[in-house]
Amino acid sequence: EDQVTQSPEALRLQEGESSSLNCSYTVSGLRGLFWYRQDPGKGPEFLFTLYSAGEEKEKERLKATLTKKESFLHITAPKPEDSATYLCAVGAQKLVFGQGTRLTINP
Amino acid sequence: EPEVTQTPSHQVTQMGQEVILRCVPISNHLYFYWYRQILGQKVEFLVSFYNNEISEKSEIFDDQFSVERPDGSNFTLKIRSTKLEDSAMYFCASSEAPRGEQFFGPGTRLTVL
């Protein structure tokens, strides 16, 4: 059965302080790895899809990378509006989610 | 920008009552999904639906749950006899392709009293 573990559970950064979020996964065969952003009381907002090791995707201050066992979401020079919970999921039709990393960016 | 919509945003019901949660997926998408998130817990898959059939379902999706596409735009989740433990946020999602990105709606918060 697919499993996803995210670390850290929570991360507090100062505005402009870059960091990375980790997503480790165990799957029988990777069909896709997805990153989502979730604000409190809202639905997950799609960010990136990665399908094969070595793949990278970038959007504004966010960059997602993928290896055979884990994915990283790098955030460069974050702003307070980047504060949210970031979710990682694996699968195809059935997505298996991690518990998320709650990111807080202090001004 | 096309988006998934869900109604109602909040539903309060008594234990044992039936509820229907409604979703309008993105118009050119063919694959539809329901997930739920109990407060403070992970997002959990319930069911996927394609070509008017369930393609996959989780252990959570027992005989109390059913899904339907009653017309060309709506996708519904019915819970026949709600239990206290059904209280959660229910998210509908849709995708263009079976391995494609899934776009989620804003959710329906279901409270069972």
Side-chain angles (χ1 to χ4, degrees), chain B residues 63-82:
Chain B
D63 292 344
Q64 293 300 312
F65 291 86
S66 62
V67 290
E68 190 179 27
R69 186 146 164 89
D71 54 46
S73 58
N74 290 283
F75 180 50
T76 62
L77 174 70
K78 182 193 290 186
I79 309 175
R80 289 191 183 81
S81 178
T82 51

Side-chain angles (χ1 to χ4, degrees), chain A residues 4 6 23 32-36 87-91 95-98:
Chain A
V4 177
Q6 293 187 245
C23 169
L33 186 139
F34 304 84
W35 281 99
Y36 287 87
L87 304 175
C88 172
V90 295
L95 294 185
V96 175
F97 281 82

Side-chain angles (χ1 to χ4, degrees), chain B residues 12-25:
Chain B
V12 180
T13 190
Q14 295 291 326
M15 189 169 57
Q17 294 297 302
E18 175 183 288
V19 295
I20 298 176
L21 310 183
R22 290 182 166 81
C23 168
V24 178

Side-chain angles (χ1 to χ4, degrees), chain A residues 1 4-5 30-32 34 36 38 41-46 49 51 87 91-100, chain B residues 31 33 35 37 42-45 48-50 55-56 58 89 91 98-107 109:
Chain A
E1 187 171 320
V4 177
T5 303
L30 184 65
R31 289 142 291 169
F34 304 84
Y36 287 87
Q38 187 176 31
K42 303 282 183 65
E45 176 190 341
F46 171 75
T49 310
Y51 289 108
L87 304 175
Q93 293 192 50
K94 172 186 174 181
L95 294 185
V96 175
F97 281 82
Q99 77 277 20
Chain B
Y31 297 82
Y33 315 88
Y35 291 81
Q37 187 175 30
K42 296 181 183 183
V43 176
E44 299 175 289
F45 170 82
S48 60
F49 190 86
Y50 169 72
S55 42
E56 192 170 357
S58 71
M89 280 287 280
F91 295 110
R99 288 180 61 191
E101 46 267 23
Q102 295 181 21
F103 293 89
F104 284 72
R109 179 173 300 283

